[in-house]
Amino acid sequence: MTQRIVSLLIVPPLAVARLGASDTPLEAFEWREDPTIHGDGRTVIAPAVTLAVQRDGSVFPYVPGHLRFKDGGLYRPVAPFFELWVVLQGEGEAAAAEQKPMPLSHKLLQEIGGSLEGIAWVVSVANLKAARRTGDRACGFSAEVRLHGDQYAARPLLAWSPRAPGGEPLVLAERPILLGHAQVIRPIAAHEIGVDLDVLRLRYTPAAGEVYGPPGADTGPAPGTMRDHLIVRPENRILNPSASWISYDANYARFDNPEPSDTYDGADIGSGRSWGVVDDTCDGIIEAQVVINGIRNIARARIVTGPPDFAPDRRPFVSLADDLADRELAPPDVDAPVTLAEIADLFRRVFETVSLFNLDALRSRAISENSDRDGTPVTGLPLTDQGSMTAKDKPFADDKLIDSVGPGSAARFPLPYAAAASSIHGPLTDLDQLLFFLTSNRERVRAILRPPWGAFPELSPTTPHETAPPRERRDPRVARDQMHDMRMPPYMRDSDATALSITRRQYDTIMAVADRLTTAVQSPPEAQTLAAIVPTRPVTPAEMSPLRQRVRAAVSLHEARRQAGAAREDNR
C-alpha cells in the first residue's frame, strides 16, 4: 500500500544547547531520586544512553560508567540531536485514518519513495542582543548553513553582521564569530541498546563560550570591587570600533532599552558606556525539507544556546516547561493523582533551588532595589525595607523564622537567611510533611505565597490604587506589586527585574489543593478517609525508588511482627 507524508516533525521541537570548549560533548544523563538509604529521596543525576558520533558521521550508543563535565578545565558542551519524525497516511480505505508519529528511518524513507538526496537541512543561528539594544540591525550577527541528507561532515556556523544604511557592521565578514557546528548523522541499518541507528538525525554543537570585543576592550574595573580585570583576550578583539554598539550607554532618550537595562558589560562603571562586548551564545531555527515525488514537506525546530549548567542535579522551580504549561494546559483537576504529584515535585524543586543561592545577599540587593521604587506600604502585605523577614515583619515572619535570623543567629550560621530557608523547605520535600503543612496552614500559604502577574484578561481596565488590598493577581502598573518582600519566592528577580513569582498555574494549583485538603479534613468524621483527604491511587513497587521499596519492606516487616505479637497475646 502506497503511503505519503501528511506531517513532518522534528523531535524535539525545542532544545537547549550549552557552551563548552572541550572537543567532547557532555554525555547524556537523567534526573532520578537518590536510591541510597542516606540519600533522603533527593534528586541526583544518573548516566543515560548517549550517542557518540564516529569519524564516518554515524553514531554509536552506549551508557557511560560515570559523568565528566570538564576535560582539562574546559567544559564539555551540551550538543543536542534532532530527529525526523513523520505521520503517514495510506491510500484507499486507510486514507481516512492517520497513523501516530513515528521516527523517519532511511529504510522507511525508501519505502515511501524518498532518498537521502531529497532531504535538506537548513540551520540558521543569530545573536541579536546588541542589535536589540541599539536598534541597529548592523550590530546583530548571524550564520546559516544548508546540508543535504547525505553530507555527513560537520559544518561551521560562521557569523557576521549585515551592512545596513547608516550603520557600521559590528562583526566583519573577514573576521567572523563561530556560533557552533551542524552535522547530519549517517544512518545505519542497526539497533543497539534500544536505539534505532537508521533514524535520520542532525546534531547541533554550540560554540566554546568565547567573548569578543573591539580593539580597546583590554582591561576594565569590576563592579563593586573596582579591581581591574581582563575584558577580552587579545586574539578576540576583532569587532568594528565604529559600530554603534561600542558607544551604547542605555540612555533612555536615545534607546529603547530592555528591562533590566543594566545587563551589559560596562553598565555599572562610570558613565555606563558599553565596552562593546558580545559572546557566542545564539538562538536559531533548524529546518528540514523532505521532497518525495515532487512534494516538499517542511518541519522546523528551535535551538537556544546558553552557558553551562553549574548545578545539573538541581532543578529550577520555574522552568521553560512550566511556562509552556501555564500557557497551554487546562487548569488542573485537584482530585487527580497527577496534581498531587505535581505539587510534591514543585516543592522538591523549590528546595533544590534554595540550596543553590545566598538568600542573605539576595535580600540585601532586593531591599536596595526597592528604595528605587515608589511603592506605598499596603496593609496586609509584608514589609519592603530593612524590616523585611525580621521580627518587625510579623505575622508573615513566624517565630521559627525569627529565631533563625534574629540576634545572635550570625554566630550560629554565617548566612542565617540561607540556613533558615534550607531548614524550612527541607521538610516540605517529604509528601506527608507537605500535606500536613498545606492542610493546617491554608491561610498562611495564601499570605506568604506571592501571587503571579495577571494575564491581560485578568487585569482591571483601570489601574488599581497603590494601597489596594492584596489580590490573587499582581498588576505591573502598581509599583507595590513590583517590589520585593519575603513572600515566596523571596527576593528573586524575574526577567523584568521585578519580584519573581511562580506561574499562574502553579499558584492556582497550590491554592486549590490546599482548599481541597482543608475541606476534606473539616468534613464529617465518616468522610475523613485517606481517599477523601488525599485523592490518589496505589503506587506499585515497580514505580517506587529503591529507597522507598526498602522503607516499604521494612515497614511491612515491622507491621507483620506487630500483628504476630498481637495474635500471640490473643491466644493466651
Side-chain angles (χ1 to χ4, degrees):
M1 179 185 299
T2 303
Q3 293 182 305
R4 64 183 182 88
I5 297 176
V6 294
S7 181
L8 180 67
L9 310 169
I10 298 178
V11 178
L14 170 67
V16 177
R18 295 191 179 277
L19 303 171
S22 172
D23 293 331
T24 303
L26 181 62
E27 292 158 320
F29 62 84
E30 58 189 11
W31 285 313
R32 291 183 183 173
E33 196 174 89
D34 189 342
T36 65
I37 195 66
H38 300 293
D40 201 20
R42 301 291 164 80
T43 299
V44 296
I45 55 175
V49 175
T50 298
L51 301 181
V53 179
Q54 307 300 295
R55 290 184 177 181
D56 65 352
S58 63
V59 291
F60 174 76
Y62 70 102
V63 178
H66 65 279
L67 293 168
R68 177 180 296 173
F69 290 85
K70 289 182 179 180
D71 293 310
L74 302 178
Y75 283 97
R76 289 186 170 188
V78 174
F81 290 90
F82 295 86
E83 296 181 352
L84 283 184
W85 284 50
V86 292
V87 175
L88 300 178
Q89 193 175 66
E91 296 178 347
E93 294 181 356
E98 291 188 358
Q99 298 182 13
K100 294 180 179 180
M102 64 181 69
L104 180 59
S105 65
H106 186 201
K107 178 182 178 182
L108 179 58
L109 177 67
Q110 292 174 318
E111 290 175 353
I112 59 177
S115 66
L116 294 177
E117 292 81 3
I119 293 179
W121 296 86
V122 181
V123 181
S124 306
V125 294
N127 182 323
L128 304 179
K129 289 181 284 189
R132 162 65 182 87
R133 285 184 174 273
T134 60
D136 182 359
R137 62 186 297 266
C139 287
F141 48 100
S142 60
E144 180 177 292
V145 295
R146 183 182 182 92
L147 307 101
H148 291 287
D150 56 355
Q151 296 177 331
Y152 307 120
R155 293 277 301 278
L157 289 153
L158 298 173
W160 61 85
S161 302
R163 292 192 175 272
E168 286 277 346
L170 178 65
V171 182
L172 302 175
E174 57 270 24
R175 288 189 167 184
I177 290 177
L178 179 67
L179 295 183
H181 293 81
Q183 182 175 12
V184 174
I185 301 303
R186 181 190 297 272
I188 295 178
H191 283 76
E192 295 286 349
I193 59 174
V195 179
D196 185 353
L197 304 183
D198 201 34
V199 173
L200 305 183
R201 298 179 173 92
L202 176 135
R203 186 178 214 179
Y204 170 73
T205 302
E210 294 284 352
V211 176
Y212 300 86
D218 44 17
T219 60
T225 65
M226 301 305 291
R227 290 180 296 187
D228 276 352
H229 68 286
L230 181 68
I231 300 175
V232 178
R233 295 187 302 174
E235 62 269 27
N236 286 353
R237 298 171 194 163
I238 61 174
L239 302 186
N240 184 354
S242 300
S244 58
W245 176 233
I246 312 304
S247 60
Y248 173 82
D249 60 1
N251 185 332
Y252 281 89
R254 299 172 54 207
F255 301 108
D256 178 20
N257 300 303
E259 296 298 338
S261 62
D262 61 346
T263 54
Y264 62 94
D265 289 325
D268 300 320
I269 304 298
S271 65
R273 179 171 172 172
S274 165
W275 289 344
V277 171
V278 298
D279 57 36
D280 51 9
T281 58
C282 63
D283 299 334
I285 296 176
I286 295 176
E287 180 181 280
Q289 302 178 11
V290 178
V291 179
I292 301 176
N293 298 325
I295 299 176
R296 186 181 303 273
N297 303 275
I298 299 177
R300 294 182 179 89
R302 266 66 179 175
I303 185 76
V304 296
T305 300
D309 186 348
F310 297 108
D313 58 344
R314 296 293 180 264
R315 302 169 298 159
F317 60 83
V318 176
S319 66
L320 180 57
D322 293 311
D323 280 335
L324 293 174
D326 191 49
R327 186 182 71 176
E328 298 294 337
L329 297 186
D333 177 5
V334 294
D335 288 326
V338 67
T339 301
L340 196 61
E342 259 188 58
I343 296 300
D345 181 69
L346 171 59
F347 275 81
R348 283 194 293 269
R349 288 189 282 151
V350 168
F351 175 74
E352 290 169 19
T353 303
V354 165
S355 69
L356 290 176
F357 60 61
N358 181 342
L359 185 59
D360 299 69
L362 291 183
R363 176 180 175 273
S364 177
R365 183 188 68 181
I367 292 173
S368 175
E369 291 177 351
N370 282 343
S371 63
D372 296 331
R373 294 189 170 95
D374 298 325
T376 303
V378 177
T379 301
L381 289 180
L383 299 176
T384 59
D385 55 16
Q386 290 294 340
S388 179
M389 203 180 275
T390 69
K392 297 179 181 180
D393 217 359
K394 286 187 172 182
F396 303 97
D398 60 13
D399 291 338
K400 178 180 179 181
L401 174 61
I402 293 170
D403 179 65
S404 299
V405 301
S409 60
R412 292 176 289 161
F413 305 106
L415 300 173
Y417 284 97
S422 292
S423 67
I424 291 172
H425 283 283
L428 298 182
T429 61
D430 178 80
L431 181 57
D432 292 335
Q433 293 271 16
L434 174 61
L435 293 177
F436 178 78
F437 177 76
L438 294 176
T439 303
S440 55
N441 294 277
R442 176 175 62 174
E443 295 308 315
R444 177 161 175 76
V445 170
R446 194 176 299 277
I448 64 174
L449 191 61
R450 179 177 294 109
W453 295 114
F456 287 128
E458 298 173 319
L459 300 180
S460 169
T462 58
T463 303
H465 193 273
E466 285 288 339
T467 59
R471 306 171 303 281
E472 290 206 344
R473 293 291 188 266
R474 290 186 295 152
D475 191 319
R477 297 168 296 181
V478 178
R480 176 60 183 86
D481 284 355
Q482 302 175 22
M483 299 177 70
H484 299 279
D485 54 42
M486 69 161 286
R487 288 178 296 175
M488 304 296 112
Y491 314 123
M492 299 179 72
R493 301 202 304 182
D494 62 15
S495 59
D496 293 326
T498 57
L500 178 69
S501 70
I502 55 179
T503 69
R504 292 185 295 270
R505 191 173 189 276
Q506 290 173 326
Y507 179 87
D508 292 343
T509 302
I510 292 175
M511 293 295 103
V513 168
D515 291 343
R516 175 73 176 85
L517 293 171
T518 305
T519 301
V521 169
Q522 295 173 350
S523 61
E526 62 272 13
Q528 292 187 17
T529 63
L530 180 61
I533 297 175
V534 184
T536 185
R537 60 174 177 80
V539 179
T540 65
E543 295 175 298
M544 296 182 182
S545 69
L547 170 63
R548 293 187 185 276
Q549 291 180 38
R550 289 196 293 272
V551 171
R552 175 175 173 158
V555 171
S556 299
L557 178 61
H558 175 78
E559 180 64 15
R561 289 173 176 171
R562 186 191 66 78
Q563 292 179 0
R568 285 194 296 270
E569 290 293 328
D570 292 341
N571 292 333
R572 287 180 178 179

